[in-house]
């Protein structure tokens, strides 16, 4: 199976082509930590990895895209491009969470304590999810506060993600519990998870864990009868 993977959810902008076939195996990726401006970079990155792997769009079996948690603007860029390709090509589009991809790259697979992937949120909030030592989800993704985590984290928990340092500090955990401080997923892990995901259960829909700060303006609006 040959796939195109896209990640614009967080600070990184990345694209990759991965083929796991015995006779057609290939992999190429490009990425840059840019913070903003994903829309200006993404299409050039896609063109580069498609060219480097001699892949035509008709060769793709599916398109994979990160669905969050992440920035509203970044998610919109990646999801729009992925859905557009899927529609034109008539191929499935698979959504992979940033938390799951970070867990895949960080989980030690040693049969030990679970892993909490934690991303920096608003103020005292953390966007997080618990995974087993092999990277399988053990809870739903959600928004937690540092005080809540301090009271409920299981003994021996290990940490990964951009908020790992803060969680360790505020929950009194030793530094050796931190397996990774990376604030965005690796594009290869996104591609590998997308290869095995069931398109029927991995919708390319944004994962928003909290409502937007902005609210619709109501002052001066005329009520409709």
């Amino acid at each position: 199976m040959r796939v195109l993977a896209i990640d614009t959810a967080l600070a990184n902008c990345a694209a990759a082509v991965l083929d796991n076939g015995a006779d057609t195996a290939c992999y190429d990726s490009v990425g840059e930590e840019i913070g903003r401006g994903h829309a200006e970079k993404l299409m050039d990155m896609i063109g580069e990895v498609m060219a480097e792997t001699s892949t035509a769009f008709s060769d793709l079996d599916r398109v994979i895209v990160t669905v969050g948690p992440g920035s509203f603007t970044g998610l919109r860029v990646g999801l729009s491009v992925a859905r557009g390709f899927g529609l034109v090509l008539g191929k499935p589009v698979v959504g992979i969470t940033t938390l799951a991809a970070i867990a895949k790259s960080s989980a030690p697979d040693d049969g030990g304590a679970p892993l909490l992937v934690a991303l920096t949120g608003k103020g005292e909030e953390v966007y997080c999810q618990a995974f087993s030592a092999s990277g399988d989800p053990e809870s739903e993704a959600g928004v937690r506060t540092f005080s809540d985590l301090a009271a409920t984290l299981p003994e021996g928990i290990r940490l990964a993600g951009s908020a790992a340092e803060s969680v360790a500090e505020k929950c009194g955990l030793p530094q050796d519990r931190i397996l990774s401080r990376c604030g965005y997923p690796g594009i290869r892990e996104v591609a590998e998870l997308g290869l095995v995901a069931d398109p029927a259960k991995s919708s390319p829909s944004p994962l928003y864990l909290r409502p937007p700060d902005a609210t619709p303006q109501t002052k001066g609006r005329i009520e409709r009868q």
Side-chain angles (χ1 to χ4, degrees):
M1 182 184 294
R2 183 165 295 204
V3 302
L4 169 67
I6 297 167
D7 173 37
T8 60
L10 293 162
N12 205 39
C13 184
V17 169
L18 174 65
D19 191 320
N20 64 346
D23 299 322
T24 57
C26 69
Y27 175 74
D28 191 72
S29 67
V30 61
E32 182 180 351
E33 187 173 348
I34 60 174
R36 297 181 179 182
H38 297 81
E40 290 74 21
K41 294 277 189 178
L42 181 59
M43 293 307 297
D44 286 343
M45 290 182 174
I46 291 172
E48 182 176 337
V49 294
M50 297 287 283
E52 288 295 323
T53 56
S54 300
T55 300
F57 282 101
S58 58
D59 297 331
L60 296 173
D61 296 295
R62 63 175 53 173
V63 180
I64 302 158
V65 62
T66 46
V67 296
S71 74
F72 175 81
T73 302
L75 289 174
R76 184 173 59 182
V77 170
L79 286 165
S80 296
V81 170
R83 289 169 175 168
F85 284 152
L87 182 64
V88 170
L89 299 172
K91 300 294 175 68
V93 181
V94 172
I96 299 297
T97 72
T98 54
L99 298 168
I102 292 173
K104 180 173 176 58
S105 63
S106 305
D109 199 16
D110 57 2
L115 172 71
L116 182 78
V117 178
L119 298 175
T120 303
K122 295 277 188 178
E124 293 292 302
E125 293 178 343
V126 175
Y127 307 140
C128 59
Q129 186 174 10
F131 296 84
S132 70
S134 57
D136 298 317
E138 291 192 337
S139 71
E140 296 295 322
V143 183
R144 305 278 297 277
T145 62
F146 290 118
S147 57
D148 180 33
L149 288 172
T152 58
L153 284 179
E155 185 176 354
I157 190 78
R158 294 178 282 191
L159 306 169
S162 59
E165 190 85 42
S166 297
V167 172
E169 178 183 345
K170 299 199 176 189
C171 296
L173 301 177
Q175 291 290 303
D176 61 9
R177 298 278 185 86
I178 301 174
L179 303 184
S180 170
R181 294 172 174 81
C182 189
Y184 52 83
I187 192 63
R188 175 141 198 163
E189 284 74 26
V190 173
E192 290 176 347
L193 285 171
L195 272 171
V196 299
D198 180 354
K201 298 179 181 179
S202 303
S203 170
S205 301
L207 176 63
Y208 295 132
L209 297 182
R210 68 190 306 276
D213 293 327
T215 56
Q217 184 177 353
T218 57
K219 185 176 180 180
R221 180 178 295 174
I222 299 175
E223 293 292 333
R224 299 181 64 181
Q225 302 296 324

